[in-house]
Amino acid sequence: MGQTLFEKVWQQHVVRENDDGSVLLYIDRHLIHEVTSPQAFEGLRLAKRQAWRTATALATPDHNIPTMNRQQGIVDPISRRQVEALDQHCDEFGIREFDMNDVRQGIVHVIGPEQGLTLPGITLVCGDSHTSTHGAFAALAMGIGTSDVEHVLATQCLIQKKPKTMRICIDGTAPALTGKDIALYVISHIGTAGGTGYAIEFAGSAVRELSMEGRMTLCNMAIEAGARCGMIAVDDTTLAYVKGRPMAPAGEQWALAKTAWQQLVSDEDAQFDRDITLNANNIAPQVTWGTSPEMVVAIDGHVPLLQEARNTLQAEGWARAMTYMGLDEGTALTDIAVDKVFIGSCTNGRIEDFRAAAAVLKGQHIAPNIRQALAVPGSGLVAKAAKHEGLDVIFKKAGFEWREPGCSMCLAMNADRLNAGDRCASTSNRNFEGRQGAGGRTHLLSPAMAAAAALAGHFVDVRTLTQGDHDAKV
């Protein structure tokens, strides 16, 4: 019997199989940021241990850093201490770091692929749930807790239980189809617990048509479906993105790596524990209405009626979400006005995301009711590329604030946050209560849809707003 993509990568990294069914798994790459690492480094210090393979690690601050007036330092004392601690720990233990003032600094899940640290067939971990992003490269990428961060630093291994496998095949195409729309559509079908206990492989013609940025968005959101990880097989798109990256193989090593990586596909006779097939022709631009990523409908839809719930439990959850979000059942999405717009995050903070939004915004201005619109690049190199292409000027002329790289308003750990009652069109990954600020109301959508909402002042189908080219697969 053939092997799935996940099984191939998993088996290549098993160091030892334990009697309880777990394995000792070797870890190739380790991304580190300031939030989940201080206790891990302190644990090493107390145990008088050193980091074992420092060349496999890359650190950068992203959650707490300011996205404006960075030269003035970090005002919040807690945020400042966390960032300073990361700087000190990286110096002490010999970890390579892109610090706050390095042009390569950015969100860990943006800079890893950007630098070529993320490669096909590797195992990669980070103390952050959205590490699943890197599965777009056929990597086995998982978020881990602080104690595991310490364990990887000390041993380069982790004890893991092998998850089951799920294939989600999305065939077909649709105008303006994006990785974000596919991700939200999948979650609407299987729910936020649908992937629990599984490694998901995304397959099908609609997935193959996505750019690497779109694939990263899709795998990033796999964690919102409850999956342990999300993966996509290697193809020419993968190889073209990786080639020439600073930390990627070159010369003879590239030729050898390319040959090996081309085997990172599921065998034709591979058996998955669960198979799901969806039709991309049915996917319209998606917008969440509630307080979970599974509370999502197409832009031409409406907030559900409570009587449409599957059971009493779901109806009660919908009712709570409607109360928090200040919405009535049956409200059309296009009737929902927004106050703020956020374009960025590890989900949609890459150069193609800003190109897609800029294509909508060019020559226009945000609506009068939009009190704040933020564009936050996912890295300094994304910001540099955007400036080179003149995208930053388009955003500024449209009324957006063009910020410095960081996680920003995705999770409100720095000064970028919603106030109670603010309604935000956000390209981030979570719309939980208070996620972007206490009392803030978050609606998840794609960059082009967020830009369209900024111009209209309410949710609108980007396909009907302008005749611009919105077929970019981002």
Side-chain angles (χ1 to χ4, degrees):
M1 183 184 297
Q3 288 183 305
T4 66
L5 167 61
F6 168 79
E7 289 166 340
K8 290 180 179 181
V9 180
W10 176 274
Q11 196 58 45
Q12 289 171 1
H13 290 82
V14 172
V15 177
R16 184 184 68 222
E17 296 183 359
N18 302 316
D19 293 338
D20 64 356
S22 66
V23 303
L24 188 66
L25 199 68
Y26 187 80
I27 304 302
D28 294 308
R29 300 286 191 273
H30 189 186
L31 291 169
I32 302 167
H33 60 74
E34 77 276 21
V35 178
T36 54
S37 63
Q39 299 92 332
F41 282 114
E42 183 62 18
L44 289 182
R45 185 181 295 109
L46 292 174
K48 297 182 179 179
R49 291 174 174 161
Q50 294 297 315
W52 186 41
R53 290 196 64 203
T54 56
T56 68
L58 177 63
T60 193
D62 56 8
H63 283 58
N64 288 278
I65 58 173
T67 60
M68 60 186 301
N69 301 321
R70 189 171 293 181
Q71 68 279 6
Q72 298 178 12
I74 302 174
V75 175
D76 181 79
I78 296 176
S79 293
R80 184 172 63 251
R81 283 198 296 271
Q82 283 194 325
V83 173
E84 290 175 347
L86 180 66
D87 295 341
Q88 294 164 4
H89 291 141
C90 287
D91 285 343
E92 178 181 351
F93 289 92
I95 303 293
R96 173 175 41 191
E97 180 194 10
F98 296 165
D99 65 28
M100 188 171 74
N101 298 310
D102 192 314
V103 70
R104 299 167 297 176
Q105 175 272 331
I107 304 171
V108 283
H109 307 311
V110 174
I111 70 169
E114 194 172 65
Q115 291 297 319
L117 186 82
T118 305
L119 296 173
I122 66 169
T123 50
L124 182 151
V125 297
C126 175
D128 186 277
S129 57
H130 292 101
T131 307
S132 55
T133 304
H134 308 266
F137 294 83
L140 174 49
M142 302 173 289
I144 58 176
T146 296
S147 59
D148 286 338
V149 171
E150 179 183 349
H151 201 254
V152 173
L153 285 169
T155 70
Q156 210 64 32
C157 291
L158 275 180
I159 295 175
Q160 292 284 294
K161 285 287 186 74
K162 187 178 181 180
K164 295 182 290 185
T165 57
M166 177 191 299
R167 177 169 55 191
I168 300 179
C169 186
I170 306 108
D171 280 317
T173 188
L177 186 63
T178 73
K180 189 62 157 291
D181 295 316
I182 293 176
L184 290 172
Y185 185 79
V186 167
I187 295 170
S188 74
H189 275 260
I190 71 172
T192 52
T196 302
Y198 289 93
I200 294 178
E201 179 178 343
F202 296 103
S205 60
V207 174
R208 290 191 298 272
E209 288 178 7
L210 290 172
S211 67
M212 284 309 299
E213 286 84 353
R215 296 178 188 190
M216 283 186 265
T217 296
L218 180 55
C219 288
N220 175 281
M221 295 288 288
I223 194 69
E224 306 308 332
R228 189 71 182 96
C229 63
M231 302 179 76
I232 296 174
V234 168
D235 62 9
D236 290 343
T237 300
T238 321
L239 298 175
Y241 183 96
V242 172
K243 189 175 183 179
R245 299 282 167 179
M247 299 179 193
E252 292 183 4
Q253 286 190 340
W254 170 259
L256 292 171
K258 179 180 177 181
T259 299
W261 292 342
Q262 287 172 328
Q263 307 306 309
L264 294 174
V265 298
S266 290
D267 297 329
E268 288 188 10
D269 58 344
Q271 297 294 311
F272 291 82
D273 294 299
R274 187 180 178 191
D275 248 312
I276 296 173
T277 300
L278 299 173
N279 187 347
N281 299 312
N282 297 330
I283 305 177
Q286 304 283 301
V287 182
T288 62
W289 61 265
T291 55
S292 166
E294 71 180 9
M295 296 178 180
V296 60
V297 294
I299 183 59
D300 58 356
H302 57 79
V303 177
L305 302 175
L306 295 180
Q307 66 187 36
E308 297 171 346
R310 293 189 304 270
N311 49 48
T312 301
L313 186 63
Q314 185 178 58
E316 291 174 349
W318 284 0
R320 286 194 301 271
M322 289 175 198
T323 298
Y324 180 84
M325 295 295 289
L327 296 172
D328 295 323
E329 55 180 314
T331 301
L333 287 190
T334 52
D335 288 339
I336 301 174
V338 297
D339 309 299
K340 297 185 177 180
V341 177
F342 168 61
I343 298 177
S345 85
C346 64
T347 312
N348 285 123
R350 298 174 181 83
I351 188 62
E352 282 201 10
D353 299 312
F354 292 100
R355 288 172 181 159
V360 178
L361 296 170
K362 189 173 183 179
Q364 303 190 67
H365 199 275
I366 62 176
N369 60 296
I370 301 297
R371 298 201 301 272
Q372 185 179 44
L374 297 182
V376 187
S379 74
L381 294 183
V382 170
K384 184 177 180 180
K387 184 175 182 180
H388 176 74
E389 297 178 21
L391 303 183
D392 60 328
V393 175
I394 292 174
F395 277 92
K396 291 173 186 176
K397 287 184 176 180
F400 273 73
E401 298 175 36
W402 184 260
R403 296 293 189 87
E404 295 176 275
C407 292
S408 186
M409 198 185 280
C410 173
L411 75 172
M413 287 188 71
N414 64 4
D416 304 342
R417 62 189 63 188
L418 300 180
N419 298 315
D422 285 347
R423 188 178 303 280
C424 182
S426 176
T427 67
S428 53
N429 40 54
R430 287 180 173 163
N431 54 336
F432 306 154
E433 292 187 18
R435 170 72 174 181
Q436 292 189 281
R441 296 162 172 167
T442 300
H443 297 266
L444 306 178
L445 70 181
S446 73
M449 286 288 287
L455 296 180
H458 58 87
F459 296 119
V460 62
D461 190 337
V462 67
R463 298 171 299 182
T464 65
L465 186 67
T466 174
Q467 296 303 309
D469 178 13
H470 304 305
D471 291 331
K473 302 298 189 293
V474 298

